[in-house]
Amino acid sequence: MTTAKEKQMIQEEFAKRMDENELLNCMRCGFCLPSCPTYIESGFQETHSPRGRIALMKAVVDGIIEPDEDVEKSLNMCLGCRACEPVCPSGVKYGHLLEEARDIINQNKKHSVPVKALRQVVFTGLFPHQSRMRSFINLIGLYQRSGLQKAVRQTGLLRLFPDSMATMEKVLPVIPTLKEMKNRPTQLSAEGKKKKKVAFFSGCLMDTMFMKTNDATIKLLQAVGCEIVIPREQVCCGALHGHSGEKNTAKELAKQNIQAFEALQVDYIITNAGGCSGFLIEYHHLLKDEPEWLERAMTFTSKLKDLSSILIELDFDKRNLKLNSQTVTYQDSCHLRNVMKTYNEPRKLLNSIEGIDFNEMDDADRCCGSAGIYNIVESEMSMQILDYKMEKVKETEAVTIVTSNPGCLLQMKLGIEREGLSEKVRAVHIADLLLEALENSSTS
């Protein structure tokens, strides 16, 4: 329960920190409603729509309502997918408002001891430290390799956990060894003539749990003529912190990343995770109140480019790419599409592969329900959204679902498992599929 004193502090901070011009920019036209998954899945509840949440924020700023549990619930129920922004005729930066509101509530509310401890471990103790991330992910690897995973499944212990978490355990990728995670490259040469020099944002989860996808990304970049630099000093992008009311930590991580990359003489900074990309590209907004960092942040963001974009720029789609005959569909990463504005490039790459019958999914741009840790903290709504997504997948008759973000990848794998389609359908990151096509064409 939020105390009266906490509500007063939150209300004062809303009045002080929320961008009132941005709040007033919302015309309440309702163009955002059909694009909002939580509005639709909640049975068209206005408080679970973008304009409804903006109205709640404005009412708190004006002192019309208290920032009570209902307001917090509405804000927490939001996926943060930002699908409302591209359709907004006024160009409201809803994502910025949401993150500011969540940060104000989190910084002025006393959490229970278990919640406070969990947040401390995750946001402060784990994600900002790549060495700790490797050690943590290695525990999952030991669980997989030691025979414990098999024993746990045989004893039925997983039935004690919520269905979504028990199913998630089945779809986790095979974890590399700790030695493999530690032995990462920092500089690689281009294959053939060098066309570009790029830096690679390797990420925290991507360079541990999804290390093989990072390896595929590196091979693709080399294949199109990129010399690659991977600075060891880089850290977590800060997206999880920024979306969860830990703005100050997100700022510190942003500064570390800017410092890690700014001395490199590179053409681009390449990303392969849509969730990271969407946060990295807005470092200049995150640091807008710090003049000594703003220009440096703008230089950083100006060099960001998604893997699919550079592959198109360097004519990867014009190669003789081949795969065995299969129907493929694509699930957009929300932040890659709505924030990075990258959506045509992945489709162009997929359509360039001989053997692929690309079948566009209805509502491919609607969130899959992963949204960082949303599928854990708001499991019921997440699974509701995923059920709709899997209906649309089945309509395509695809045997391969392609994504551009690790969270989306796990969520689609979860959907495949829940629907009993694991023998027929697979979900893959686009980097892995493109490397598969490249290697297949070179051996055929």
Side-chain angles (χ1 to χ4, degrees), residues 321-326 353-356 426 433 436-437 440:
L321 302 171
K322 294 179 183 178
L323 281 174
N324 294 332
S325 180
Q326 58 191 284
I353 302 173
E354 183 183 333
I356 278 185
R426 64 171 178 161
L433 190 75
E436 184 183 332
N440 189 58

Side-chain angles (χ1 to χ4, degrees), residues 231-251:
R232 288 195 186 279
E233 298 80 11
Q234 64 178 297
V235 291
C236 171
C237 67
L240 186 63
H241 303 78
H243 301 328
S244 304
E246 298 284 346
K247 190 174 180 181
N248 286 336
T249 306
K251 285 183 175 182

Side-chain angles (χ1 to χ4, degrees), residues 143 148-171:
Y143 167 76
L148 183 59
Q149 183 179 53
K150 185 178 180 181
V152 167
R153 290 178 177 179
Q154 287 176 340
T155 58
L157 195 61
L158 289 171
R159 288 197 292 269
L160 299 175
F161 295 89
D163 288 346
S164 59
M165 288 188 67
T167 308
M168 185 67 78
E169 187 269 351
K170 296 180 182 179
V171 301

Side-chain angles (χ1 to χ4, degrees), residues 259-291:
Q259 287 178 316
F261 284 88
E262 65 184 350
L264 306 177
Q265 300 298 313
V266 295
D267 299 298
Y268 302 121
I269 300 170
I270 304 300
T271 64
N272 66 353
C276 297
S277 305
F279 199 73
L280 292 167
I281 199 72
E282 294 197 327
Y283 272 3
H284 61 290
H285 172 76
L286 184 66
L287 299 169
K288 63 182 172 61
D289 296 325
E290 302 187 39

Side-chain angles (χ1 to χ4, degrees), residues 4-219:
K5 184 178 180 180
E6 287 170 346
K7 288 178 183 177
Q8 182 182 350
M9 292 169 61
I10 291 169
Q11 197 137 25
E12 289 173 358
E13 286 297 300
F14 260 69
K16 188 186 302 182
R17 287 173 51 184
M18 294 300 293
D19 187 338
E20 192 157 12
N21 288 330
E22 200 67 64
L23 291 170
L24 290 170
N25 201 18
C26 176
M27 302 185 301
R28 314 289 191 265
C29 64
F31 276 48
C32 60
L33 300 182
S35 70
C36 180
T38 55
Y39 173 71
I40 295 166
E41 296 298 334
S42 68
F44 309 107
Q45 290 185 39
E46 189 69 30
T47 53
H48 291 321
S49 72
R51 74 174 180 184
R53 293 182 178 108
I54 290 174
L56 290 175
M57 295 179 208
K58 183 68 168 68
V60 172
V61 168
D62 293 340
I64 297 171
I65 63 171
E66 289 187 331
D68 57 16
E69 282 73 19
D70 289 337
V71 172
E72 187 176 359
K73 180 182 177 182
S74 174
L75 298 179
N76 287 341
M77 189 64 73
C78 180
L79 292 149
C81 67
R82 298 175 69 166
C84 51
E85 293 185 16
V87 299
C88 177
S90 298
V92 175
K93 297 296 184 185
Y94 171 80
H96 297 167
L97 293 172
L98 177 68
E99 288 179 5
E100 194 72 11
R102 283 178 171 172
D103 187 63
I104 291 169
I105 291 171
N106 179 63
Q107 298 305 321
N108 293 279
K109 177 183 176 180
K110 187 176 181 180
H111 294 290
S112 66
V113 173
V115 170
K116 185 178 180 180
L118 182 61
R119 292 181 70 94
Q120 181 75 16
V121 168
V122 172
F123 295 124
T124 306
L126 184 59
F127 275 86
H129 308 281
Q130 191 64 1
S131 62
R132 296 177 191 175
M133 280 293 296
R134 285 193 291 264
S135 297
F136 173 72
I137 298 300
N138 184 54
L139 292 177
I140 301 174
L142 291 174
Y143 167 76
Q144 291 176 337
R145 295 188 295 270
S146 65
L148 183 59
Q149 183 179 53
K150 185 178 180 181
V152 167
R153 290 178 177 179
Q154 287 176 340
T155 58
L157 195 61
L158 289 171
R159 288 197 292 269
L160 299 175
F161 295 89
D163 288 346
S164 59
M165 288 188 67
T167 308
M168 185 67 78
E169 187 269 351
K170 296 180 182 179
V171 301
L172 289 174
V174 176
I175 306 299
T177 66
L178 184 59
K179 182 179 180 180
E180 289 172 326
M181 285 189 277
K182 286 182 175 179
N183 189 27
R184 303 300 289 148
T186 57
Q187 191 140 4
L188 301 106
S189 302
E191 287 182 11
K193 181 183 177 182
K194 186 179 87 170
K195 298 178 182 177
K196 298 288 181 182
K197 183 178 180 182
V198 302
F200 177 43
F201 185 84
S202 54
C204 48
L205 276 178
M206 287 302 298
D207 216 40
T208 51
M209 184 177 289
F210 298 94
M211 197 182 80
K212 289 184 178 179
T213 298
N214 268 7
D215 290 341
T217 299
I218 289 167
K219 289 176 183 176

